Amino acid sequence: MKMASSSGSWLSRCFITLVFLQLPLHVSAPSPGRFSSSAVALAVIVPVLGIFIMVGIYIIWKQRRSKERLLYEHAMEVENLLSDHAKEKGNYIYRIREKLRRELKLKRAAADSGWRRARLHFVMVTLDPDTAHPKLILSEDRRCVKLGDTRQPVPNNPQRFDFVVSVLGSEYFTAGCHYWEVSVADKTKWALGVCSESVSRKGKVTASPANGHWLLRQNRGNEYEALTSPQTSFRLKEPPRCVGIFLDYEAGIISFYNVTNQSHIFTFTHSFSGPLRPFFEPCLHDGGKNVAPLIICSKLQKPEESTVPKPEEKGLPNGDVALQVDPLLLPAQAPELLPLTDMILSWPTDIGPALQGLKVPSF
């Protein structure tokens, strides 16, 4: 730029000199046949001046071209850096996704082995009528409970729930592993799990681990909640028709499983102290849509074929319709008939904390 400015000032000085040299031409004209000194100077200066102008223009063009090339090189360098960064970011995201897929696969395998191990500790659970809310109706074998329309004339003992429509199991657990299954087919709302023997039975109670409750609840449709503090809401890929509940007292684990598709739903971890009891709440009628009972299964239920089609499956090739089978109508699977590989599966008690909060995502 300095060179361009100096060239411009020099050209302006030459132009001014040329103007002054031309002034005498208007004052006195040369005699015919003779060349004046002004005409000779003009004939020499004009071509030289033209050459200098052309050189100046070339220098200015050269400088602009150099600047444009420099800017282009800088732009290409920035573009290359951005491209390399995008590639590196893409590779990083790919590695993170692969890592998450591997971890999810391991957790699913651990949950599946946990469900198979849990079923080895199947116990018969029955309902305790002394704890049932007055509106609850229990079957004679004390394995079925539903909500009635009116309060029954039952004693108002200290063990009975008088606000929450709940009932406890008759069994007390103070050690060991215990597993039971509950049919929730045709229900839109329910709450299941384990609670401490010392929980409050009178008045409104906030269910949370801090108050001695470890419960899983279905609100409506495919919306579920683990009653943590705060509550953990999620959806399931396939709604369960039968829920398995597993308690490992020493490990401090309470896990819930979807028996319908053999998947893990949620796991609580806690250091237990004192007796624990099974918890059942059939919930309100939900406008007549939730009148079905909760049924404690007397035997292990056979998992159903998944009713959710795989992404690549649009339907059966012969046009048949897949039917959803009631698990209560299927033949029971006795514990002694489990495969030998399932019988020898080991599950260390320290795997519990790793499964805390694990739930199947909805894809």
Side-chain angles (χ1 to χ4, degrees), residues 52-64:
F52 278 109
I53 292 175
M54 295 299 295
V55 171
I57 293 175
Y58 175 77
I59 292 173
I60 294 173
W61 175 81
K62 193 72 174 179
Q63 289 179 344
R64 288 185 177 179

Side-chain angles (χ1 to χ4, degrees), residues 75-145:
M76 290 301 298
E77 184 177 356
V78 172
E79 184 177 352
N80 292 334
L81 289 175
L82 292 176
S83 177
D84 294 340
H85 177 71
K87 290 180 181 179
E88 184 177 355
K89 182 179 179 181
N91 294 334
Y92 176 76
I93 293 176
Y94 175 78
R95 291 194 297 268
I96 291 296
R97 286 178 177 174
E98 288 300 315
K99 181 180 179 181
L100 292 177
R101 286 193 186 100
R102 290 193 298 269
E103 291 179 354
L104 181 59
K105 186 176 180 180
L106 291 175
K107 288 183 177 180
R108 283 177 174 172
D112 182 66
S113 63
W115 176 73
R116 294 179 183 276
R117 171 187 179 266
R119 300 194 102 197
L120 300 178
H121 301 278
F122 180 79
V123 295
M124 284 287 295
V125 173
T126 57
L127 301 172
D128 182 2
D130 292 335
T131 65
H133 186 278
K135 278 192 174 183
L136 293 181
I137 302 175
L138 278 59
S139 62
E140 292 184 3
D141 60 2
R142 297 192 300 172
R143 291 194 303 108
C144 179
V145 57

Side-chain angles (χ1 to χ4, degrees), residues 19-31 36 38:
V19 171
F20 279 107
L21 288 175
Q22 288 180 336
L23 289 177
L25 295 178
H26 299 283
V27 178
S28 60
S31 59
S36 65
S38 299

Side-chain angles (χ1 to χ4, degrees), residues 18 125 132 153 232-233 248 257:
L18 179 61
V125 173
T232 303
S233 302
D248 188 335
Y257 297 94

Side-chain angles (χ1 to χ4, degrees), residues 62-319:
K62 193 72 174 179
Q63 289 179 344
R64 288 185 177 179
R65 185 67 180 273
S66 177
K67 287 183 178 181
E68 291 176 356
R69 184 177 300 171
L70 184 62
L71 290 174
Y72 175 76
E73 291 177 355
H74 287 171
M76 290 301 298
E77 184 177 356
V78 172
E79 184 177 352
N80 292 334
L81 289 175
L82 292 176
S83 177
D84 294 340
H85 177 71
K87 290 180 181 179
E88 184 177 355
K89 182 179 179 181
N91 294 334
Y92 176 76
I93 293 176
Y94 175 78
R95 291 194 297 268
I96 291 296
R97 286 178 177 174
E98 288 300 315
K99 181 180 179 181
L100 292 177
R101 286 193 186 100
R102 290 193 298 269
E103 291 179 354
L104 181 59
K105 186 176 180 180
L106 291 175
K107 288 183 177 180
R108 283 177 174 172
D112 182 66
S113 63
W115 176 73
R116 294 179 183 276
R117 171 187 179 266
R119 300 194 102 197
L120 300 178
H121 301 278
F122 180 79
V123 295
M124 284 287 295
V125 173
T126 57
L127 301 172
D128 182 2
D130 292 335
T131 65
H133 186 278
K135 278 192 174 183
L136 293 181
I137 302 175
L138 278 59
S139 62
E140 292 184 3
D141 60 2
R142 297 192 300 172
R143 291 194 303 108
C144 179
V145 57
K146 65 178 182 179
L147 180 65
D149 297 326
T150 59
R151 299 174 69 94
Q152 302 179 72
V154 293
N156 185 20
N157 55 58
Q159 294 81 23
R160 189 179 305 280
F161 291 96
D162 65 354
F163 184 85
V164 182
V165 287
S166 306
V167 59
L168 301 183
S170 301
E171 291 71 23
Y172 294 76
F173 302 128
T174 57
C177 298
H178 312 275
Y179 174 83
W180 60 97
E181 294 179 347
V182 182
S183 173
V184 295
D186 303 324
K187 291 192 67 63
T188 59
K189 294 183 178 181
W190 48 262
L192 295 171
V194 177
C195 73
S196 175
E197 163 62 19
S198 60
V199 295
S200 176
R201 317 289 174 86
K202 306 301 180 182
K204 187 175 181 179
V205 179
T206 301
S208 67
N211 293 332
H213 301 82
W214 297 271
L215 307 180
L216 182 71
R217 178 172 66 190
Q218 180 183 14
N219 272 336
R220 63 186 67 86
N222 196 28
E223 297 180 5
Y224 298 84
E225 289 180 341
L227 301 187
T228 54
S229 184
Q231 297 174 354
T232 303
S233 302
F234 55 89
R235 292 175 176 267
L236 298 179
K237 183 178 180 181
E238 184 171 359
R241 294 177 60 81
C242 183
V243 177
I245 303 164
F246 175 65
L247 166 65
D248 188 335
Y249 195 97
E250 283 77 13
I253 293 173
I254 298 175
S255 295
F256 296 85
Y257 297 94
N258 184 347
V259 180
T260 306
N261 60 2
Q262 309 176 47
S263 63
H264 173 266
I265 300 177
F266 195 86
T267 291
F268 290 94
T269 59
H270 191 81
S271 297
F272 303 123
S273 61
L276 301 179
R277 302 180 68 176
F279 180 94
F280 306 87
E281 183 179 342
C283 295
L284 302 180
H285 284 157
D286 193 18
K289 295 182 292 185
N290 192 40
V291 296
L294 288 174
I295 302 175
I296 303 173
C297 303
S298 59
K299 298 180 181 179
L300 290 174
Q301 300 300 296
K302 183 179 179 181
E304 303 175 13
E305 292 294 332
S306 176
T307 58
V308 178
K310 296 180 180 179
E312 66 273 8
E313 293 178 349
K314 301 300 181 181
L316 299 178
N318 57 359

